[in-house]
Amino acid sequence: MRTWRTWRGNPWAVLVTLSLGFFMTLLDLTIVNIAIPDMMSGLGATLDQTLWVVSGYALALSALIITASRLGDLHGPRTLFAAGLAVFTLASVGCGFAPGPTWLVAARVAQGLGAALLTPQTMTLIVSVFPAARRGTAMGIWGMVAGLATLSGPTLGGILVSTIGWRWIFLVNVPIGIAALVLTFLVVPDIRTSRAHRFDLTGVLLSGAALFCLAFGLQEGQNYHWGTGIWALLAAGGGLAAGFLFHQSRRQDREPLIPFALFRDRNFTAMTALVGLISVAMLGLVLPFNLYLQSVLGLSALKAGLVLAPSSLVSMTVGPFAGRLADRIGGTYVLLTGVFCYAVGIVAIALLAAPATAWYAFVPATLVTGLGVGCIIAPMSTEAMRHVPPHLAGAASGVNNTVRQIGSVVGAAAVGALLQGRLTAELATGKTYAVAFTATLHTTAVLPIVALIAGAAVCFLLPRRAKATAAAGTCRAGELALASR
């Protein structure tokens, strides 16, 4: 017992605990993709039903994450983190034993709820327990975990699907979730502010409805042939979002869900835009490339995952060094290097892809994409939170993670629509499936490249050097604090 008392409140022990929960939630965004063929055959599901297993999770997560960040301010971030872990772990059991596609989709939505509850609390707790001098390193590790989870999903999923079955891509979360839940109460401090907080019910309802309409419309637009109903839903989402922002503008002195003072910080604004663009780029590559490896080259889920394994390993290795390098020379140069490498890797994959390309021909390209992601994720998280004061960390985390999830939904929706539309058109010309899908892959590669070009432009908004004097940092934090009152 004395050992655990020693570890209680230790920043690095807290970071490990938070990383376990955060890793699971991001892993589940990509681990499912590799198992799509096996789930379709195992459950007798259609492609549309199986794609909802992917989108249902992202939809719940993106629609509820701003609300969850506010609930963390009200009830304490540790409480919400623990609740999210419990919901996510129980939902993972439901996914693993799902008897049919409808049950699986419902359990995935419950997983998304759990992920929404815990995800924004991670940034809040990191900012609270780490002193300013070590916060950059901590956020760099947190960002590295995010990149590793996103990239290792296909590899880990491939191993599980090929060895013990697709259901274990969900059941593997159970022991991790239980361990993280126990550690939460042993080492994570229950940090709460002394003053009472207000709960903006109107803002919560407006933001949740807006995000749901926008995410659902984008995700399901192709399935409904972009008909009048989809455009009406998107228009309603846009109107609700405008209403939400207007409502927030009138509550800036009464604890808004989104303090506009955050966006006076150029680092936070630029990196929030970049996190959405990078999410689009990642989904724009991973989803069609996984399908190509399995449906065109005929690789098993395991082999397809192993093709992407070098990318995860390089990203994991490079991430911590990239975070420290960004502190020394500024985030702009490191991020631009990462964006360039990721774009080069995507172009190389597209050029190499053919109906009979040997799988090992893609390894150099995946190594380059891993280098790119390693140079992006950790500095991006560090730069986003660099000047955010602790009392705004919850709101900043909610906004940043909402944009991350919306980017994933937009990326999945856009690449899904492009993939289905182009593949149908290519098959209509009489081409074989392998030739048609390869041509489609060449087309879908345009999406992540465009997102990365926009991301490169955003990087130039950062100051050329990340180092700032303590006085400047203190002054900036004071300005944000005053603006938020």
Side-chain angles (χ1 to χ4, degrees), residues 62 78 127 132 177 271 330 404 436:
S62 58
R78 188 186 74 167
V127 171
M271 293 301 94
R404 183 195 304 274

Side-chain angles (χ1 to χ4, degrees), residues 129-186:
V129 301
F130 277 90
R134 296 182 180 179
R135 200 172 294 153
T137 302
M139 291 304 301
I141 295 173
W142 181 89
M144 182 195 71
V145 170
L148 179 62
T150 303
L151 288 177
S152 63
T155 303
L156 179 58
I159 294 172
L160 293 173
V161 170
S162 297
T163 54
I164 52 180
W166 66 265
R167 294 181 183 274
W168 282 92
I169 65 175
F170 304 113
L171 295 176
V172 72
N173 293 324
V174 177
I176 300 174
I178 292 173
L181 190 59
V182 171
L183 286 172
T184 297
F185 291 105
L186 289 175

Side-chain angles (χ1 to χ4, degrees), residues 369-381:
T369 60
L371 176 61
V373 172
C375 290
I376 292 172
I377 301 299
M380 183 169 61
S381 302

Side-chain angles (χ1 to χ4, degrees), residues 79-113:
T79 301
L80 267 290
F81 183 79
L85 280 174
V87 172
F88 188 90
T89 303
L90 289 172
S92 296
V93 175
C95 290
F97 292 100
T102 302
W103 180 292
L104 181 56
V105 170
R108 283 285 284 172
V109 171
Q111 268 193 323
L113 169 61

Side-chain angles (χ1 to χ4, degrees), residues 51-344:
L51 288 177
W52 258 106
V53 175
V54 179
S55 60
Y57 177 81
L59 184 63
L61 179 53
S62 58
L64 298 172
I65 203 165
I66 287 181
T67 300
S69 68
R70 191 69 186 124
L71 289 173
D73 291 336
L74 288 168
H75 302 292
R78 188 186 74 167
T79 301
L80 267 290
F81 183 79
L85 280 174
V87 172
F88 188 90
T89 303
L90 289 172
S92 296
V93 175
C95 290
F97 292 100
T102 302
W103 180 292
L104 181 56
V105 170
R108 283 285 284 172
V109 171
Q111 268 193 323
L113 169 61
L117 291 174
L118 74 88
T119 297
Q121 318 311 328
T122 57
M123 274 189 179
T124 305
L125 286 165
I126 288 172
V127 171
S128 298
V129 301
F130 277 90
R134 296 182 180 179
R135 200 172 294 153
T137 302
M139 291 304 301
I141 295 173
W142 181 89
M144 182 195 71
V145 170
L148 179 62
T150 303
L151 288 177
S152 63
T155 303
L156 179 58
I159 294 172
L160 293 173
V161 170
S162 297
T163 54
I164 52 180
W166 66 265
R167 294 181 183 274
W168 282 92
I169 65 175
F170 304 113
L171 295 176
V172 72
N173 293 324
V174 177
I176 300 174
I178 292 173
L181 190 59
V182 171
L183 286 172
T184 297
F185 291 105
L186 289 175
V187 304
V188 178
D190 188 10
I191 299 170
R192 300 180 189 230
T193 58
S194 57
R195 61 192 180 94
H197 290 282
R198 300 183 181 94
F199 185 68
D200 181 11
L201 180 59
T202 302
V204 164
L205 294 175
L206 284 172
S207 65
L211 289 169
F212 177 83
C213 290
L214 292 171
F216 185 92
L218 290 169
Q219 183 64 49
E220 292 298 298
Q222 180 67 22
N223 292 335
Y224 290 94
H225 309 291
W226 296 102
T228 304
I230 289 296
W231 288 111
L233 194 64
L234 291 173
L240 287 167
F244 169 71
L245 292 175
F246 177 74
H247 174 71
Q248 291 298 288
S249 70
R250 298 170 62 87
R251 286 187 59 91
Q252 288 302 299
D253 60 342
R254 289 176 292 162
E255 297 192 81
L257 288 176
I258 299 181
F260 290 171
L262 285 172
F263 297 99
R264 296 173 190 163
D265 178 2
R266 190 168 62 175
N267 278 49
F268 178 80
T269 303
M271 293 301 94
T272 297
L274 183 62
V275 76
L277 292 166
I278 294 302
S279 295
V280 171
M282 284 187 171
L283 267 293
L285 170 65
V286 172
L287 181 57
F289 188 43
N290 277 334
L291 292 174
Y292 163 81
L293 292 173
Q294 293 186 71
S295 65
V296 176
L297 299 190
L299 300 184
S300 66
L302 174 59
K303 289 182 178 179
L306 290 176
V307 171
L308 294 171
S311 180
S312 303
L313 294 174
V314 172
S315 174
M316 180 176 61
T317 304
V318 170
F321 296 101
R324 286 199 291 270
L325 187 62
D327 284 336
R328 293 180 58 189
I329 67 173
T332 303
Y333 304 111
V334 181
L335 287 166
L336 283 172
T337 300
V339 169
F340 176 76
C341 289
Y342 197 49
V344 168

